[in-house]
Amino acid sequence: MSMFCRQCEQTAGGTGCTKVGVCGKNEDIASLQDTLVFGLKGISAYAHHARELGARDEQVDAFMHDALFFTLTNVNFSLERHIEMVLKCGEMNLRIMEVLDNAHVTRFGSPAPAQVFTGTKAGPGIVITGHDLLDLEELLKQTEGTGVNVYTHGEMLPAHSYPELRKYKHLIGNFGTAWQNQRTEFENFSGAILVTTNCVMPLTDKCSYGDRIYMRNITGLQGGKQILDRDFSEIIAHAKSLPALPETAGDYTIATGFHHSVILSLADKVVEAVKAGKIKRFFLIGGCDGAKPGRNYYTEIAQKVPKDCVILTVACGKYRFNNLDFGDIDGIPRLLDLGQCNNAFSGIQVAVALAKAFNCGVNDLPLSFVLSWYEQKAVAILLTLLHLGVKNIRIGPTPPAFISPNVFKVLNESFGLQLITTPDEDLKAILG
C-alpha cells in the first residue's frame, strides 16, 4: 500500500499526501489509523444491535470517542501507541459481542441445535436477510395468522436456533446462501424481501425485485422502500399480492445453533474424545464470505480436514461448505455452526473452556484459526483475537489493502499472523 491522507489544509497539492504527510505522518501510522477506524465500524454494528435490544456498555461508548479523537490530525504519531489502540479496539469488541450475546439470549432464549429446511412452502412469503433478530421477531408476530410464510437468508440463518423465534410455525426455513449471491437468489424468490442490516447489494437495471424489496432502519437502497419503525403492514400486504412460492423439498438441510452454551454442555464428552485420540484437532474455519476468486480455498480445506478433526464455523463464510455432510465423531457433529459473525464470542468461550479443561493456554490447544475476511466486522473480530494473544491465525483470501507491509510484518512477528497459501500446504503446516 502507499500513504494517502487528505485530512488537513496542508494536503500536498491540495489533493492528498501520497508518500509521507506534510505533518510527518507515514504509511504505517495511516495504516493503523485505518485499521482502528474499520474496527470501530465493526464495534458500532454490534453496539447498534445491542442498543436496539436495550443493552449498552459505557466503556465501549467512551472508547468510541477516545479512538476517533486519536485519529484526528496531529494527535499522535507513535507507532507503539497506535498498536496499543488497535488492540484495545479488539478488547472493546469482545465486550460488545458479549453484551449482544447476553441480549440475544435474554430476549430470544438459549440457542439449541436446529436442522433448517431449505425448501419452500406453497403460499405467499417474505425472505428476511441481515442480522437483526428483533426485526425478525416483530415480522413473525405481525405475519402470524396471515398466511404469509417467513424465510431467513444469509446471516439470519442462526435465528432458527433461538426458541422464542423457532416457536413460530410459519418460520419455514432458510432460502439461499451467502450475501453476495443475493441478486440471483432474490430474482428466484417470488415474494417480498426485507433487508435489516448491511451486506445488501445495490439495485441495478437488471434487478427485477427492486419494487418488492424493503429496507429497515439505517439500511438503504436507491429505489428500495424504507421501513423506519417496525410496522411491517406494507410489506405483508405486498407479499400477499405477489405470486405464491411453490412447494419444494429443498436439496439439503443446514445445521446451526451450536452456541457456546451448547458446546460447553458437551464439554465432558468432547474432552473425553480428545483424550482418547478420537478428536485430534479443532479448526475454526469461517468469517466473511465474498465473490472474489480464491474463496473456494475454504471449501477445499474444510473438505480436506482429516475425519478425526472437528470444524467450528461462524458468520457467512460457512456458506462455502455448510451444505456438505461432515458426519460426526461419537455423536459430536464434525461441523459446528456457532452462529452469526458476532457469535465469534462463542468460539472464544469454547477455546477458553477447552484451555481450562486441559490446563493450558489457548495457543497450546490443538486448535487452528483459518479465517476469511471481507469487511469491517471481520477486522474488529481479528483485533479481538489478537488482543487475546491468539497466535498463528491464517487469513485470506487476499491481504487487507489497508495493512502496510511493515505493520503486517509486526503482526506476523508478534502474533504469527499469516496469509493462507493452498489447502494442502496449510494443512501440512498445521498438522505436521
Side-chain angles (χ1 to χ4, degrees):
M1 67 169 284
S2 61
M3 163 81 180
F4 181 78
C5 182
R6 57 183 179 190
Q7 276 186 288
C8 73
E9 184 270 341
Q10 293 186 107
T11 296
T15 57
C17 298
T18 56
K19 292 183 179 178
V20 66
V22 174
C23 64
K25 178 179 178 181
N26 62 33
E27 72 168 4
D28 296 332
I29 298 299
S31 172
L32 288 165
Q33 287 191 352
D34 283 345
T35 303
L36 179 58
V37 170
F38 294 154
L40 291 175
K41 290 180 179 180
I43 288 174
S44 70
Y46 299 143
H48 168 82
H49 293 309
R51 190 176 288 269
E52 290 288 285
L53 290 160
R56 59 185 293 271
D57 186 285
E58 174 61 31
Q59 282 193 46
V60 173
D61 292 348
F63 176 77
M64 298 286 287
H65 304 156
D66 292 345
L68 282 173
F69 184 17
F70 193 85
T71 68
L72 258 61
T73 306
N74 294 6
V75 169
N76 197 307
F77 297 119
S78 165
L79 184 69
E80 292 78 13
R81 288 292 310 282
H82 275 78
I83 291 174
E84 288 174 10
M85 188 61 89
V86 296
L87 294 179
K88 183 76 171 179
C89 185
E91 179 186 357
M92 292 300 107
N93 186 60
L94 178 62
R95 287 184 69 92
I96 201 62
M97 286 195 298
E98 182 174 12
V99 168
L100 180 55
D101 180 73
N102 289 337
H104 278 159
V105 171
T106 299
R107 180 63 177 255
F108 307 115
S110 295
Q115 289 289 333
V116 183
F117 177 62
T118 58
T120 56
K121 185 177 179 180
I126 296 174
V127 65
I128 179 170
T129 190
H131 306 76
D132 200 301
L133 300 183
L134 190 56
D135 281 339
L136 173 58
E137 182 185 48
E138 286 299 317
L139 180 64
L140 290 169
K141 287 179 179 178
Q142 294 174 42
T143 49
E144 192 168 26
T146 65
V148 176
N149 295 315
V150 176
Y151 302 83
T152 57
H153 175 271
E155 279 269 67
M156 199 63 82
L157 166 66
H160 293 273
S161 66
Y162 290 90
E164 291 301 308
L165 297 175
R166 68 194 295 180
K167 72 181 183 182
Y168 292 94
K169 302 304 179 186
H170 62 298
L171 177 60
I172 302 301
N174 191 73
F175 183 89
T177 53
W179 68 269
Q180 69 273 9
N181 301 323
Q182 64 188 251
R183 285 188 177 131
T184 300
E185 292 170 352
F186 290 174
E187 292 284 351
N188 295 328
F189 187 86
S190 61
I193 303 156
L194 179 61
V195 180
T196 69
T197 57
N198 63 326
C199 299
V200 60
M201 301 179 77
L203 296 171
T204 68
D205 293 339
K206 295 180 180 179
C207 294
S208 67
Y209 55 85
D211 63 341
R212 52 190 175 89
I213 189 167
Y214 291 76
M215 306 291 113
R216 250 297 291 151
N217 207 324
I218 59 172
T219 310
L221 279 179
Q222 195 67 33
K225 301 179 183 69
Q226 202 76 36
I227 300 175
L228 296 178
D229 54 17
R230 289 193 170 90
D231 178 359
F232 295 121
S233 55
E234 183 181 352
I235 189 174
I236 293 169
H238 196 166
K240 287 182 175 181
S241 71
L242 292 167
L245 274 74
E247 189 83 25
T248 63
D251 296 327
Y252 50 84
T253 59
I254 304 175
T256 190
F258 289 94
H259 187 258
H260 63 270
S261 60
V262 174
I263 300 176
L264 296 184
S265 71
L266 301 171
D268 291 345
K269 192 173 183 179
V270 171
V271 169
E272 183 181 329
V274 173
K275 288 181 176 178
K278 294 179 179 179
I279 295 178
K280 293 290 178 62
R281 180 166 285 273
F282 298 88
F283 285 80
L284 198 156
I285 305 174
C288 296
D289 201 6
K292 195 168 184 177
R295 288 182 175 268
N296 59 320
Y297 165 96
Y298 295 94
T299 308
E300 190 176 337
I301 195 168
Q303 289 175 309
K304 290 184 173 182
V305 164
K307 297 291 188 290
D308 56 6
C309 298
V310 170
I311 301 170
L312 307 173
T313 191
V314 69
C316 62
K318 61 176 164 276
Y319 280 107
R320 289 283 163 175
F321 47 80
N322 70 345
N323 62 326
L324 305 176
D325 183 5
F326 289 91
D328 66 85
I329 299 174
D330 279 5
I332 302 167
R334 287 192 58 238
L335 179 64
L336 301 173
D337 175 18
L338 303 173
Q340 296 179 331
C341 56
N342 45 279
N343 290 120
F345 177 71
S346 279
I348 291 166
Q349 295 303 103
V350 170
V352 169
L354 286 174
K356 184 177 181 180
F358 289 105
N359 194 28
C360 66
V362 169
N363 290 314
D364 300 315
L365 288 170
L367 170 64
S368 299
F369 292 80
V370 185
L371 306 179
S372 56
W373 81 279
Y374 179 82
E375 48 93 74
Q376 294 87 348
K377 285 178 285 183
V379 175
I381 291 168
L382 177 61
L383 295 181
T384 294
L385 294 173
L386 297 180
H387 153 71
L388 293 170
V390 177
K391 295 189 175 181
N392 301 318
I393 298 169
R394 286 170 166 79
I395 62 167
T398 53
F402 54 86
I403 297 290
S404 70
N406 191 46
V407 169
F408 196 90
K409 181 182 178 184
V410 170
L411 293 176
N412 174 261
E413 291 173 350
S414 301
F415 299 100
L417 183 69
Q418 57 199 287
L419 295 175
I420 60 171
T421 58
T422 68
D424 288 334
E425 288 178 22
D426 287 345
L427 282 173
K428 183 178 180 181
I430 291 168
L431 298 171

